[in-house]
Amino acid sequence: MCDNDHRRWNHLKKILERSSPFCHPDFEPGTGILEFLQNSCKLLVVGAGGLGCELLKDLAMMGFGDVHVIDMDTIDLSNLNRQFLFRRKDVNSSKAEVAAKFINERVPTCRVTPHHCKIQDKSEDFYRNFHFVVCGLDSVVARRWINGMLISLLSYDDNQQLDNSTVIPLIDGGTEGFKGNVRVIIPGITPCIDCTLDLFPPQVTYPLCTIASTPRLPEHCIEYVKLIQWPKENPFDSNIDTDDPVHISWIYEKSLERADEFGINGVNYRLVQGVIKNIIPAVASTNAVIAAACVTEAFKVATSCCPLLNNYAVFNNADGIYTYTYEAERKSDCITCSPRKAKYLDIDDTNMRLEKIIEILCEHQQYQMKNPALTIELDGKRKTLYMPNVPSIELKTRPNLKMTLEQLGIADGCKLLVADITNPRAFEIILKIKNNCVSME
Amino acid sequence: MIKLYSLKQHKKDGETPKSGNQRKASAAHLRITKDLNELTLPKTCTTEFPDPDDLLNFKLTICPDEGSYKGGKFNFSFKVGVNYPHEPPKVKCETTVYHPNIDLDGNVCLNILREDWKPVLTINSVIYGLQYLFLEPNPEDPLNKEAADVLQNNKRLFDMNVQKAMRGGVIGNTYFEKCLK
Ligand SMILES: [Zn+2]
C-alpha cells in the first residue's frame, strides 16, 4: 500500500522535486510542494455541471487533497450524458453533494466538501479561506459575481501596495458547443472578468415592439409568451420555473398558437426550452479539453512550477483544432478592478454629526466635494444617509444630518459610499475614527 | 509571479486583514447612487422612493406639459437589478394608457430599455426617453396596434381618444381609468 502510494505520485514528483530548464525561474523544487498540494492547499470549484464534473475528476487525480465544490442545482435526467459523476438514481439530488460523494469514494487521497447553495449565500469569510478558485460556470452573471467577490477581498497597505497574501487567483473555464476558453485571473494584477466584458457575446434581445406586433421568427413568438402573455395570464400563479416541464409546455402551446396566427414555422418544444432557459448545446469533449487546461493551470498556480497561462486561451474544434493564447489587457477604468486606492477620512470621534462629515468632505483638500450623496452598509443592509439631489429622499433623510455617527450606528472602519459630481464614479471612503464610542460599548 | 505555496504558509498564521472586514458596495449600488445624485429631471417629472434606503426600486411620475398627453399624469415603476448598469432597469407603466408604444399591461417599447441599452446610459437617459414617448408617440413601433393605427390614419381621432382615455372612458373594449393631473 505504502509502496503503491509512493508510486502513485511518481510522475508529479518528477516535476515537483527536480529542477529543469522549463521551470519557472523562481521555482524551488522540494518534497514540501506535493505535501502542500495534498494536505494544505484548499481550493474551491464553482459549478458541478458539465465542466465541474471534469474539473473535480482532474483535480482529484492531480493530487489535490482539499477541494470544495459549490452548486445550487439539482441533477436533471438530461445531464447524465456528460456529467459522468451522476447516475440515474441521483436525478433530483444536489449536484454538489453527489459529485463530492462520488470523488470521495473513488479517490481516497481527495476530500471533496459540497456546498449545495447559491454562490451569493456564502460570505466573504467563506471565500477568503481558499488558496484559489476554479470556475466552471455557464453564466456570465455568476462569473462576474465571483470575480467581484475575489477583488473585494484584496487589501492594500497604507502605501497602496497590494497585500499579496490577500490575492486569490481565479481560473475560469467556459464552453459553448465546440468552443471554449480558459483564463487565469490574478485579482488586482491581471485583467479581471469585467475588464473584458465585451468578449462575451451579447445576449440576443429583440425589440419589444417586434415581438408584440411584427413577429417574424419562432423566437419572437416564444419571447412574446414569456414577456407579455405569462405575466398577464399568470397561469400557475408564479414566475416561470425554467425547470418545470408544465411551465415549459404551457409556453410551448401558447407560442405555437401565436406562431400559427402569424404563419411562422419552427416552434418546437426544444426551441422553447432553449429560448426560455437560454440553453447552449454542450459537447462532452469540449468540457474535457477545457477542464484539463484549467486543472493544469490550477496545478501551476498551486506549485509555481511553470509560468501561468498569460492570460486568455481560446479553443475551437468546430473545424479542425484551433487554439490561440493571447494577453488580454487590463482596463484602466474597469468598474471592478481598476486600482481604486483605498480612501480614508480621519474623524475625531463618533459624537460628530453627519452634517459635519459632509462639511469635511466639501472642505477637505483631497476631496473638495460639492454636494455629496452618502450611503452605508449596516448589518448587511444598505442605508441612505443623505441624498441632496432627490427631493423625496432628501426630505426623508434630512433628520440624519443632525444625528451623530454613534446614533446612526457608524463605527470605525465603516465604508461610506460617496457620489458627487466632482468624481466620475461613486466610491467608498473608509472612516478612521480615533475615539470610537460605538465599539467601546 | 505570486508564489502561492510560500505565501500561504504565512497566510495560515496571519489573521484576516483589517480593511477587508466590511463588504464593498456592489457596482450596481455605486452606479445607482451616482445616477440618482445627478438626476436632472425635466420639470414634468418627479421621482418617489417608497423606501429611501432602497435606491434600486422607485417610482417616476410624468405629467406632460405639451403634446397629445398634456394634462395627464402617468406613473412608472423602476426596478434596478444587481447587474445594473450592464443590464437596463426594468420599467413598467403603472397607469393604463392609450399609447401606441405602451401596452395595456404596462410594457413599454423604448429601444434603450432593451436592445439598445448600453452601460454608459443612465437613469436620466431612460427618464428622458420615456418623456419623449409622450411628446412623440411612434406608430412605426407599435405595442398597442389599435392606437398606432389610429395615430397613423387619423391624428385628430387619436388626440380625441387620448383625451377620452385620460378623462376616464372606454375605447374599443378597454376601460381607461382617469389619469388627469
Ligand atoms: Zn477589471
Side-chain angles (χ1 to χ4, degrees):
Chain A
M1 181 67 196
C2 227
D3 194 39
N4 255 344
D5 271 2
H6 180 75
R7 274 186 308 188
R8 173 165 206 161
W9 307 113
N10 257 351
H11 299 290
L12 290 186
K13 287 181 177 178
K14 281 177 189 152
I15 295 170
L16 300 177
E17 294 175 13
R18 301 179 190 174
S19 193
S20 113
F22 303 108
C23 286
H24 191 275
D26 294 341
F27 178 60
E28 292 159 29
T31 49
I33 306 176
L34 183 59
E35 209 273 325
F36 170 72
L37 209 64
Q38 293 180 314
N39 299 316
S40 321
C41 183
K42 184 171 171 179
L43 70 104
L44 176 69
V45 174
V46 186
L51 256 180
C53 282
E54 291 279 356
L55 289 169
L56 289 167
K57 177 256 291 172
D58 289 353
L59 287 163
M61 294 168 86
M62 283 289 270
F64 287 94
D66 188 0
V67 179
H68 288 238
V69 60
I70 183 166
D71 195 313
M72 64 180 285
D73 274 349
T74 51
I75 298 161
D76 188 77
L77 185 66
S78 66
N79 300 147
L80 300 185
N81 70 335
R82 62 192 183 285
Q83 300 180 17
F84 53 84
L85 302 178
F86 312 141
R87 297 293 175 263
R88 181 98 199 204
K89 65 173 169 39
D90 301 322
V91 167
N92 295 328
S93 302
S94 150
K95 285 189 175 180
E97 284 163 12
V98 175
K101 189 159 175 277
F102 192 108
I103 299 280
N104 289 342
E105 281 171 7
R106 188 66 174 263
V107 188
T109 52
C110 183
R111 301 170 308 283
V112 182
T113 310
H115 302 273
H116 179 209
C117 60
K118 289 189 196 164
I119 51 174
Q120 290 87 351
D121 292 343
K122 294 287 186 184
S123 69
E124 290 198 330
D125 291 330
F126 173 79
Y127 290 100
R128 206 196 309 278
N129 263 317
F130 297 100
H131 288 119
F132 65 96
V133 175
V134 188
C135 263
L137 288 163
D138 57 4
S139 141
V140 178
V141 177
R143 270 195 185 87
R144 293 186 53 215
W145 193 90
I146 291 283
N147 178 65
M149 169 55 80
L150 296 184
I151 287 165
S152 75
L153 293 176
L154 298 175
S155 94
Y156 294 82
D157 67 15
D158 289 342
N159 300 320
Q160 312 307 339
Q161 284 301 305
L162 179 60
D163 174 357
N164 279 348
S165 72
T166 62
V167 174
I168 299 177
L170 171 64
I171 298 158
D172 179 48
T175 66
E176 192 178 318
F178 290 107
K179 292 186 242 167
N181 65 75
V182 179
R183 58 191 301 183
V184 176
I185 295 167
I186 312 291
I189 298 172
T190 70
C192 81
I193 300 270
D194 283 353
C195 286
T196 55
L197 254 193
D198 43 345
L199 292 177
F200 294 102
Q203 256 201 333
V204 190
T205 42
Y206 307 103
L208 199 56
C209 33
T210 305
I211 295 169
S213 45
T214 52
R216 295 179 309 278
L217 304 171
E219 287 86 347
H220 292 158
C221 302
I222 301 167
E223 288 273 352
Y224 176 83
V225 177
K226 173 183 154 190
L227 289 171
I228 295 177
Q229 216 164 339
W230 184 286
K232 194 172 179 173
E233 301 187 15
N234 201 0
F236 303 101
D237 279 326
S238 74
N239 290 331
I240 298 175
D241 176 354
T242 57
D243 290 322
D244 187 338
V246 179
H247 288 193
I248 301 288
S249 295
W250 190 90
I251 298 172
Y252 166 61
E253 277 160 31
K254 299 291 172 185
S255 306
L256 209 55
E257 281 170 22
R258 186 160 172 87
D260 283 345
E261 188 185 327
F262 286 90
I264 297 166
N265 294 321
V267 171
N268 57 49
Y269 191 85
R270 270 189 81 92
L271 183 73
V272 171
Q273 250 188 332
V275 171
I276 299 296
K277 294 181 82 166
N278 210 358
I279 290 181
I280 26 175
V283 175
S285 56
T286 311
N287 284 340
V289 170
I290 296 302
C294 287
V295 173
T296 307
E297 292 309 314
F299 183 79
K300 294 194 281 183
V301 163
T303 63
S304 307
C305 67
C306 294
L308 298 173
L309 174 81
N310 186 22
N311 48 37
Y312 199 114
V314 291
F315 169 80
N316 185 346
N317 62 355
D319 181 19
I321 297 176
Y322 173 82
T323 61
Y324 180 64
T325 301
Y326 70 100
E327 190 176 348
E329 278 178 26
R330 221 171 149 185
K331 211 167 128 189
S332 60
D333 60 347
C334 172
I335 189 159
T336 307
C337 79
S338 62
R340 238 187 279 163
K341 286 182 187 166
K343 293 185 165 80
Y344 295 94
L345 189 66
D346 288 308
I347 304 289
D348 287 336
D349 68 70
T350 44
N351 287 325
M352 192 176 275
R353 290 180 177 180
L354 184 67
E355 60 188 356
K356 181 69 183 168
I357 301 280
I358 294 175
E359 200 183 305
I360 293 173
L361 287 171
C362 293
E363 287 168 1
H364 196 283
Q365 192 61 34
Q366 184 190 346
Y367 299 118
Q368 302 191 30
M369 294 189 172
K370 297 284 178 223
N371 210 6
L374 306 175
T375 74
I376 199 160
E377 194 175 290
L378 294 173
D379 302 325
K381 196 176 170 292
R382 194 147 281 283
K383 181 180 166 69
T384 305
L385 293 174
Y386 191 60
M387 184 159 286
N389 245 345
V390 180
S392 67
I393 305 183
E394 196 279 333
L395 197 66
K396 286 180 191 162
T397 55
R398 197 183 297 164
N400 289 346
L401 291 175
K402 298 285 177 206
M403 288 169 79
T404 65
L405 298 187
E406 185 179 355
Q407 287 165 333
L408 291 164
I410 300 171
D412 183 43
C414 275
K415 287 178 184 163
L416 271 186
L417 188 165
V418 187
D420 188 70
I421 45 166
T422 51
N423 201 293
R425 291 200 311 220
F427 56 89
E428 290 185 289
I429 297 178
I430 301 168
L431 293 179
K432 281 184 157 176
I433 307 178
K434 277 183 215 139
N435 176 12
N436 191 357
C437 309
V438 174
S439 66
M440 273 158 61
E441 275 171 21
Chain B
M1 175 167 184
I2 294 220
K3 291 177 78 180
L4 213 57
Y5 164 54
S6 44
L7 254 178
K8 299 303 169 169
Q9 306 293 13
H10 61 77
K11 183 178 179 177
K12 251 183 166 180
D13 350 302
E15 72 285 15
T16 35
K18 206 171 46 177
S19 67
N21 56 11
Q22 222 206 347
R23 236 185 111 65
K24 248 190 194 178
S26 70
H29 271 120
L30 286 165
R31 233 328 261 283
I32 195 70
T33 313
K34 177 84 182 152
D35 274 21
L36 294 178
N37 202 42
E38 273 155 47
L39 275 185
T40 48
L41 292 179
K43 60 182 186 305
T44 55
C45 297
T46 49
T47 54
E48 174 62 34
F49 289 76
D51 174 3
D53 291 335
D54 180 5
L55 302 180
L56 301 178
N57 293 288
F58 58 94
K59 309 235 177 273
L60 169 76
T61 303
I62 303 182
C63 299
D65 59 358
E66 53 182 311
S68 311
Y69 295 90
K70 182 176 176 180
K73 182 178 174 189
F74 306 96
N75 298 318
F76 291 83
S77 67
F78 278 63
K79 283 190 194 327
V80 178
V82 288
N83 233 10
Y84 186 77
H86 289 281
E87 277 172 12
K90 286 194 169 48
V91 176
K92 279 241 171 187
C93 183
E94 299 198 318
T95 310
T96 318
V97 55
Y98 180 80
H99 192 295
N101 312 111
I102 301 175
D103 74 13
L104 300 172
D105 300 308
N107 296 303
V108 183
C109 188
L110 179 64
N111 61 338
I112 57 169
L113 282 176
R114 279 181 67 79
E115 70 276 12
D116 290 334
W117 172 258
K118 289 180 189 62
V120 293
L121 295 171
T122 62
I123 296 296
N124 231 18
S125 333
V126 174
I127 292 177
Y128 273 86
L130 291 173
Q131 190 200 220
Y132 187 73
L133 276 188
F134 285 98
L135 297 180
E136 296 285 340
N138 173 10
E140 308 280 309
D141 287 332
L143 211 49
N144 177 339
K145 204 155 180 330
E146 288 77 6
D149 287 343
V150 176
L151 173 58
Q152 202 138 39
N153 298 321
N154 188 343
K155 175 77 164 68
R156 242 179 70 91
L157 178 61
F158 177 79
D159 283 342
M160 278 165 59
N161 283 349
V162 169
Q163 288 304 320
K164 192 171 160 194
M166 293 196 307
R167 282 196 306 270
V170 176
I171 296 158
N173 297 319
T174 310
Y175 173 71
F176 293 85
E177 217 162 291
K178 183 180 169 193
C179 63
L180 288 174
K181 196 176 165 183

